[in-house]
Amino acid sequence: MAPLRHNGAAVHDVVYTGATVVTMDERRTIARGIWTRGDTIVAIGDPEDLMREAPSSASIRDLEGATILPGFIDAHCHFALLAYLQSGADCSSRSAPDIPRIQQLLALAAPGPEGWVTGSGYSESTLAEGRHPTRWDLDKAVPDVPCVLYHASLHACVVNSAGLIELGLHRDSPDARNGRYERDLDGRLTGLILEQPALDLWARNMERHFAALDADRRLDLVRAAGAQLSELGITSCADASIDPTTFQVLRQAEDAGALSVRITAMFMNNRAGGIRTVGMGSGFGSAWLKIGAIKYWADGGMSSRTAAVDPAYAHSPDDRGLLIWAAESLGKSVRAWDDAGFQVAIHAQGERAIEVALLALSGVIGREGNTRRHRIEHGGAFRADLQEQAARLGVCVVSQPGFLSVLGDGFHEAFGSERSEYLYPFASLLQMGVVVAGSSDAPVISASPLLGIRDAMVRRTVEGRVIGMGERLDPTQAVELYTRNAAYVLGVEDRVGTLEPGKAADFVVLADNPLRVSPETVADIPILATIVGGNNTYARPLRALMTA
């Protein structure tokens, strides 16, 4: 792999030939060649014309029938969290199908510099026992030091007895504001923590973890997280859970030339520090690291059954989830950030939360429209009336098609067949003129954009159900979610999201064309190379032509 050169010392011309170049521009132009100079696209067109116009010193790279697309953009993931969790145990279903295996993995894990043993990725619905682990389960693996096991949704976690002591929690502790501590029939804490206190715990531990590491180790974790995304064809992303400490870590990585993915930092509203008071608004920063939206949580998660729904969950008639903000108070807070020049992104999954989010945003979106491109994150249970309201306001929606295959069977159980038909209604929203961007919410699910593109077209669960047949997208629409639409939502469409002269040389090389293959097979298309700013950030070893 060629070294990353963010400020590229040597400007070099490269002409890529023998390819299908899917530009995703306004005309959806398809070409056969692309010419780059340093970090910028010079021209797109016929290879013979490009080679004739390029300088004689230009490198010619024959891609032998591969397909070039704009670099994929993940408009909502958790980059810093991906870096942090690498130090802990992978307890996802592929690694730990049952609680005894989780115990084995946690027992082998060493405490991090913040003093906690960490595991992540479990889901009670995929465990053989069909339940959450308890603190007593974790005590058998890690008896003496604090231990936390994060749910795949990140909206819940389990801590051991030492962890409860560290957090100051005991039998008589009241439930946290906007959260809940599960108890057994005798009133004892089971160790399961839901919503805000769980979110606060991983944010706190992540911040302390990075703060305790030396500079070299922090850079190693950032490089490794970037490599994960580059291998999936991702060239830009938005980190939806940034605080001042993790932002500083990313700034140091940028200064060291260690970023292989362009990052838009979304500060959590309760951890935004002093950025509002020093004149740093959305868009402040560089081509590699810039400030994006201020992030709110209006409710919980779909997979953790804490999203604020209306009516109640099908499997629990008295449970309507957890609504974190009232419309009036959220609207007041959103207005303060809007007045200061910031984009706002509101996590809203259930119908009640989406309604509150739209009411709050209606107070800052005027006659001129949604000029700051305020966003709703996820948008799971998006009823028809709420879709219409979002369209009238011009609110952007950033969602995760990949949830449908990975988590869809659980959604069907929670919402029932009829309500499941309007979950994640991408086709309806697009038809109404809403800009919908694709993302992964990684590490909740895989960051693979090809997985999301497939699921936007197929919408089939693991058990074979189709969630919302009428909401399937065509191939071009599905690819747009992760290219031009995502670029628009992040406010970077002038540089990325399409392949056009003058834009950044950010693209992905695929072994086949996702617009032409069967939708069912899109997620299996091999990524051959990822190029960011004209430099390889990923290349398959056998493709020597991409590593020259």
Side-chain angles (χ1 to χ4, degrees):
M1 181 182 296
L4 301 177
R5 296 167 295 167
H6 296 172
N7 298 312
V11 176
H12 186 60
D13 289 87
V14 182
V15 177
Y16 297 87
T17 68
T20 298
V21 182
V22 180
T23 67
M24 300 306 295
D25 66 6
E26 197 67 34
R27 294 183 172 185
R28 309 302 187 267
T29 303
I30 305 294
R32 295 194 299 116
I34 182 169
W35 167 17
T36 66
R37 175 174 292 156
D39 62 0
T40 304
I41 296 170
V42 177
I44 295 169
D46 184 83
E48 289 74 19
D49 293 339
L50 298 179
M51 288 187 288
R52 184 167 51 252
E53 295 173 11
S56 59
S57 59
S59 297
I60 309 299
R61 300 185 184 174
D62 183 356
L63 297 187
E64 302 175 358
T67 295
I68 294 177
L69 277 96
F72 294 132
I73 302 171
D74 189 325
H76 178 125
C77 67
H78 300 275
F79 181 91
L81 189 58
L82 281 169
Y84 156 58
L85 293 179
Q86 290 175 90
S87 299
D90 175 10
C91 297
S92 61
S93 58
R94 63 181 176 272
S95 301
D98 53 32
I99 291 173
R101 181 56 179 160
I102 287 176
Q103 292 170 320
Q104 292 173 359
L105 292 169
L106 292 175
L108 293 171
E114 77 284 3
W116 286 66
V117 171
T118 299
S120 64
Y122 91 92
S123 174
E124 76 284 6
S125 64
T126 61
L127 289 175
E129 295 83 357
R131 65 170 175 86
H132 293 278
T134 66
R135 67 176 167 115
W136 301 289
D137 292 323
L138 269 57
D139 286 346
K140 292 178 181 178
V142 186
D144 301 322
V145 298
C147 175
V148 58
L149 173 63
Y150 297 113
H151 191 268
S153 70
L154 301 175
H155 284 260
C157 66
V158 182
V159 299
N160 67 351
S161 296
L164 290 175
I165 292 171
E166 172 74 14
L167 296 173
L169 298 176
H170 49 80
R171 184 189 186 103
D172 298 325
S173 296
D175 279 341
R177 180 178 178 272
N178 299 327
R180 188 168 75 244
Y181 305 122
E182 187 187 71
R183 303 168 194 274
D184 66 12
L185 294 176
D186 294 325
R188 298 176 300 175
L189 296 177
T190 67
L192 177 63
I193 300 175
L194 296 165
E195 287 310 320
Q196 196 61 53
L199 300 172
D200 289 343
L201 179 57
W202 66 251
R204 187 201 75 169
N205 278 10
M206 178 172 69
E207 186 174 12
R208 292 180 178 181
H209 185 90
F210 279 122
L213 296 175
D214 62 36
D216 288 342
R217 180 57 181 152
R218 286 196 294 268
L219 291 179
D220 287 344
L221 293 179
V222 169
R223 287 190 182 98
Q228 287 184 48
L229 299 190
S230 295
E231 189 172 346
L232 298 171
I234 296 170
T235 57
S236 297
C237 73
D239 188 322
S241 52
I242 288 291
D243 58 50
T245 297
T246 51
F247 187 68
Q248 185 63 21
V249 168
L250 296 178
R251 288 191 62 189
Q252 292 167 353
E254 181 191 16
D255 290 342
L259 292 183
S260 57
V261 177
R262 304 184 195 275
I263 299 175
T264 296
M266 298 167 58
F267 277 82
M268 293 181 284
N269 75 289
N270 61 340
R271 303 177 71 82
I275 62 173
R276 182 164 56 191
T277 62
V278 295
M280 297 165 61
S282 295
F284 181 88
S286 72
W288 285 92
L289 177 64
K290 72 182 189 70
I291 294 175
I294 300 300
K295 163 81 175 298
Y296 287 84
W297 276 286
D299 67 346
M302 297 266 281
S303 60
S304 57
R305 306 294 189 268
T306 50
V309 297
D310 183 26
Y313 287 105
H315 69 289
S316 183
D318 296 324
D319 186 359
R320 297 173 67 228
L322 178 65
L323 186 65
I324 295 174
W325 288 84
E328 184 178 353
S329 55
L330 180 58
K332 182 178 179 179
S333 184
V334 164
R335 177 168 290 283
W337 285 108
D338 178 85
D339 288 345
F342 286 86
Q343 182 188 37
V344 169
I346 304 176
H347 167 117
Q349 279 281 31
E351 298 98 332
R352 287 197 295 148
I354 294 172
E355 184 174 11
V356 164
L358 290 171
L359 284 171
L361 292 175
S362 69
V364 297
I365 296 175
R367 293 180 181 175
E368 62 278 10
N370 186 14
T371 56
R372 299 210 192 283
R373 304 179 187 181
H374 296 313
R375 318 164 28 165
I376 285 181
E377 309 300 293
H378 311 301
F382 228 127
R383 280 194 323 253
D385 61 309
L386 300 174
Q387 297 169 33
E388 293 169 0
Q389 187 178 353
R392 285 195 302 271
L393 292 171
V395 171
C396 302
V397 175
V398 178
S399 198
Q400 298 77 34
F403 281 1
L404 293 165
S405 65
V406 179
L407 306 171
D409 290 310
F411 297 162
H412 184 270
E413 177 186 353
F415 287 87
S417 298
E418 184 175 347
R419 286 171 72 194
S420 292
E421 290 302 302
Y422 66 69
L423 298 181
Y424 302 100
F426 306 133
S428 294
L429 289 167
L430 289 172
Q431 187 174 10
M432 293 180 184
V434 174
V435 177
V436 180
S439 64
S440 68
D441 207 16
V444 174
I445 63 169
S446 165
S448 170
L450 290 177
L451 170 70
I453 290 168
R454 181 200 69 189
D455 285 358
M457 295 186 286
V458 176
R459 300 180 67 96
R460 183 171 289 110
T461 71
V462 170
E463 294 181 8
R465 295 184 179 91
V466 174
I467 303 288
M469 176 75 74
E471 299 298 339
R472 287 173 159 178
L473 301 185
D474 66 39
T476 298
Q477 290 174 317
V479 172
E480 285 174 347
L481 301 184
Y482 293 87
T483 54
R484 56 184 298 121
N485 290 13
Y488 176 86
V489 169
L490 297 187
V492 293
E493 75 275 15
D494 60 326
R495 285 289 289 160
V496 299
T498 62
L499 300 176
E500 301 178 72
K503 289 194 172 184
D506 290 10
F507 52 90
V508 57
V509 182
L510 306 177
D512 214 333
N513 185 350
L515 302 182
R516 296 288 178 262
V517 302
S518 166
E520 297 276 5
T521 66
V522 164
D524 301 320
I525 297 174
I527 306 286
L528 302 181
T530 305
I531 311 293
V532 184
N535 288 300
N536 287 9
T537 58
Y538 170 75
R540 289 206 164 196
L542 294 179
R543 301 290 292 189
L545 60 95
M546 295 305 302
T547 59

